[in-house]
Amino acid sequence: MAITLVNPKGLPEVDAYRQVSIASGSKLVFIAGQVAWRADGVTVGEGDLAAQVEQCYLNIGTALTEVGASFDDVAKLTLYVVDWTPDKMPLLMEGINRAAAKLGAAPVPPASLLGVAALDVPEHLVEIEATAVID
């Protein structure tokens, strides 16, 4: 496995992610920001942040599988959430947990969450991009 996830002593432990990832692989994989589209381009969960987060993670899982990787190989996630406020955290976590159950993995690499004014189309509430490292 090319990624080791660490929570250093002296930094807070956060359930949703680890503070540090150590990459030892030789190939970087950059996955474009994924939105809540099915393969046919139809948006999943219009108006439902949890459903859209789940679909984004499932789409990342599909992209990872295509290149012979999994969430174990993800070194960093960046989440962009429209009109972010901390009260949306339970919905975000619900979507992550539902995706984790379907993927059979806990996607907890280091992550950054950014609130944004808008995404590509008004019905998209979240976009998630990933960087992975594989051998």
Side-chain angles (χ1 to χ4, degrees), residues 6-29:
V6 179
N7 268 327
K9 290 181 183 353
L11 293 178
E13 286 194 28
V14 180
D15 289 338
Y17 62 89
R18 300 301 175 263
Q19 296 285 0
V20 176
S21 66
I22 302 164
S24 60
S26 59
K27 294 180 186 176
L28 294 175
V29 178

Side-chain angles (χ1 to χ4, degrees), residues 1 14 43 45 63 80 84 92 106:
M1 183 172 0
V14 180
T43 297
Y80 304 91
W84 174 257
L92 182 83

